[in-house]
Amino acid sequence: MSWAGCVSKFSKPCARLCGVIDGMSAMDNEFFSRRDALRLAGLFTAAGALPLLRARKAMAQPGPDAPLRIGYLPITDSTPLLVAHGQGFFEAEGIRAEKPVMLRSWSQVIEAFLSGQVDMVHLLSPMTIWARFGSRAPLKVVAWNHLDGSGLTVQPGINSVKELGGQTVAVPFWYSIHNVVLGTLLKANGLKPVIARNGKAPAADEVALVVMAPSDMLPALAARRIAGYIVAEPFNAAAEAQNIGKVLRFTGDVWRDHACCVVAMHEEDLTRRPEWSQKAVTAVVKAQAWIRDHRAETAQLISRENPNRYTPHPAAVLAKVLAPSETAHADYVASGAIRHADWTNRRIDFQPYPFPSYTEELVRRLQDTLVEGDRGFLTALDPVAATRELVDDRFVRHAIAAAGGPGVFGISDSFTRTETIAA
């Protein structure tokens, strides 16, 4: 895949975007790093996004049979996109798909997407709100990528959220469901999140938040530089496997069946190539249906042991997330990591419909969540109007019908639900 012509004032053309990783050590501190956060802050402004949007506009318009190009990060959030490719679901729908391109940071994903180098990506759900309304990027959420799949992991000696007072917790990014859920947990326990500042320790009723690369979180926890972190899998499972930390709470046990990453596509593609777009979305939805019935196989497919080497993670760690044992679930209930056993959540699950009630509540929660940088656009958002502008559910509705209907994914035929949030 060529990255020629992709130019950003935040990075050298092509060189940074071409990098892929073969193992955890090669991530080079790129995931959600401080530098990445600064680059993202620039990209998610109208001025910062403009050069990339112009680059895409200058490209030749793709034909109706042009191959689908996917960009992703090697985390479990990307699973449906990888399975759709690995199991041939795109080809089955009559659409050619290049091998998904593994990128090294969220800023690279955004740069590649906005400049037109890729057509489909998975993005943190709050990130799409920032992109659409903060930088006016013409993207649309066309489906959810997965449910839950994240946790708050802490040092072994910490047994309650209240014990995080006066300490530091790492988050993957300000505009993430992780930061939103963490804020909910802290508030419910009488704690106030603050932005970590060098040389200034948080007060006893404060928790200092720092943006940190997930690849840095394990060593930081082991070195006791942080008290915990809240992040996507498999980094929580990895901490358990290495006896470095334990899961204090799962995010899906706070916000029931929340979306973490969503599937984003170019608005122009949906308008100019609706049949092609439908095929792409249908393949991803059918991949999610397949994953629900083949969880252990999915762990193997996206692992480093698979010939495609979609991710650098061992199958055994991925299986702890995708296909955990019944004993593990009971242990989490006993420890308090799962407090709402009656919700019957899985550690990670897959359901593609983007419920409006979720996005509306997410906008409200973001307006009351600590984030660094200019947040002026957030205060002006109307949750209902923003959801209608951001999400296009036409394609996913057809795709769900093609996959066997809402019942295949355990959702209502009415495509409605009520959000359940309980710390």
Side-chain angles (χ1 to χ4, degrees):
M1 179 174 183
S2 172
W3 294 96
C6 181
V7 180
S8 167
K9 69 178 182 178
F10 297 99
S11 63
K12 295 180 180 179
C14 309
R16 295 295 300 279
L17 287 174
C18 289
V20 297
I21 58 178
D22 292 321
M24 295 297 291
S25 62
M27 288 185 183
D28 195 29
N29 300 331
E30 284 288 341
F31 275 112
F32 314 98
S33 67
R34 174 66 177 172
R35 179 171 56 182
D36 193 48
L38 292 173
R39 290 173 66 193
L40 274 171
L43 291 172
F44 284 144
T45 62
L50 186 59
L52 299 173
L53 296 174
R54 284 177 173 170
R56 180 175 186 273
K57 190 174 182 179
M59 297 174 65
Q61 294 293 339
D65 297 323
L68 176 69
R69 301 161 303 167
I70 297 169
Y72 74 99
L73 295 184
I75 51 181
T76 52
D77 300 35
S78 62
T79 299
L81 305 184
L82 304 180
V83 169
H85 177 266
Q87 288 297 107
F89 286 109
F90 291 119
E91 286 73 14
E93 293 302 314
I95 185 172
R96 290 187 296 131
E98 296 179 356
K99 182 179 179 181
V101 176
M102 188 193 302
L103 298 170
R104 298 176 61 177
S105 67
W106 284 121
S107 62
Q108 287 190 358
V109 173
I110 289 294
E111 287 177 335
F113 181 73
L114 294 184
S115 63
Q117 299 297 325
V118 294
D119 311 302
M120 175 183 281
V121 293
H122 66 99
L123 292 175
L124 298 169
S125 51
M127 191 179 286
T128 63
I129 295 171
W130 190 15
R132 179 78 192 193
F133 303 105
S135 66
R136 305 305 302 176
L139 63 76
K140 286 282 190 177
V141 171
V142 295
W144 283 3
N145 215 44
H146 70 103
L147 305 178
D148 305 336
S150 296
L152 172 60
T153 291
V154 297
Q155 293 175 6
I158 294 176
N159 297 305
S160 70
V161 173
K162 288 186 177 181
E163 293 176 46
L164 294 174
Q167 304 201 62
T168 300
V169 173
V171 297
F173 195 63
W174 296 115
Y175 285 85
S176 65
I177 191 66
H178 314 91
N179 189 32
V180 173
V181 169
L182 179 60
T184 299
L185 280 171
L186 296 181
K187 183 177 181 180
N189 285 274
L191 298 173
K192 177 184 177 182
V194 297
I195 297 172
R197 303 297 185 191
N198 289 336
K200 184 178 180 181
D205 63 344
E206 295 178 338
V207 177
L209 306 188
V210 59
V211 172
M212 183 177 289
S215 56
D216 287 343
M217 290 180 178
L218 283 169
L221 193 68
R224 306 183 70 83
R225 291 194 292 111
I226 57 174
Y229 57 76
I230 186 166
V231 74
E233 299 289 5
F235 296 99
N236 304 291
E240 294 174 314
Q242 297 180 39
N243 295 316
I244 291 174
K246 65 182 182 183
V247 175
L248 187 63
R249 292 294 300 276
F250 288 107
T251 57
D253 193 56
V254 178
W255 190 332
R256 186 177 186 179
D257 290 338
H258 68 76
C260 183
C261 270
V262 296
V263 182
M265 295 182 69
H266 298 287
E267 186 172 11
E268 185 178 9
D269 279 338
L270 305 183
T271 302
R272 291 187 63 256
R273 301 192 287 172
E275 293 183 3
W276 179 88
S277 299
Q278 182 64 69
K279 292 175 181 178
V281 174
T282 298
V284 173
V285 169
K286 288 186 175 180
Q288 292 195 36
W290 186 88
I291 293 167
R292 290 169 66 93
D293 293 330
H294 301 84
R295 296 175 185 271
E297 295 95 322
T298 298
Q300 184 65 42
L301 190 154
I302 68 172
S303 73
R304 69 187 184 193
E305 289 90 348
N306 186 276
N308 279 319
R309 292 184 62 85
Y310 288 122
T311 77
H313 309 299
V317 170
L318 292 167
K320 285 175 63 68
V321 178
L322 289 158
S325 66
E326 288 297 323
T327 301
H329 184 273
D331 289 342
Y332 287 129
V333 172
S335 72
I338 296 176
R339 296 191 178 183
H340 304 107
D342 57 310
W343 289 3
T344 63
N345 290 34
R346 290 184 177 270
R347 187 159 180 167
I348 187 171
D349 214 345
F350 301 90
Q351 182 289 114
Y353 186 71
F355 287 101
S357 58
Y358 168 81
T359 307
E360 292 167 11
E361 183 61 24
L362 180 61
V363 171
R364 297 186 190 99
R365 297 260 164 177
L366 278 172
Q367 290 171 333
D368 193 40
T369 296
L370 175 69
V371 296
E372 190 173 28
D374 183 8
R375 53 178 296 140
F377 76 94
L378 272 177
T379 60
L381 288 182
D382 172 76
V384 175
T387 298
R388 289 173 179 167
E389 181 176 339
L390 176 65
V391 180
D392 186 341
D393 70 353
R394 294 173 297 159
F395 302 96
V396 74
R397 282 177 177 262
H398 285 295
I400 290 172
V408 170
F409 301 98
I411 61 175
S412 168
D413 290 343
S414 68
F415 291 106
T416 60
R417 77 176 197 182
T418 300
E419 300 306 308
T420 303
I421 303 172

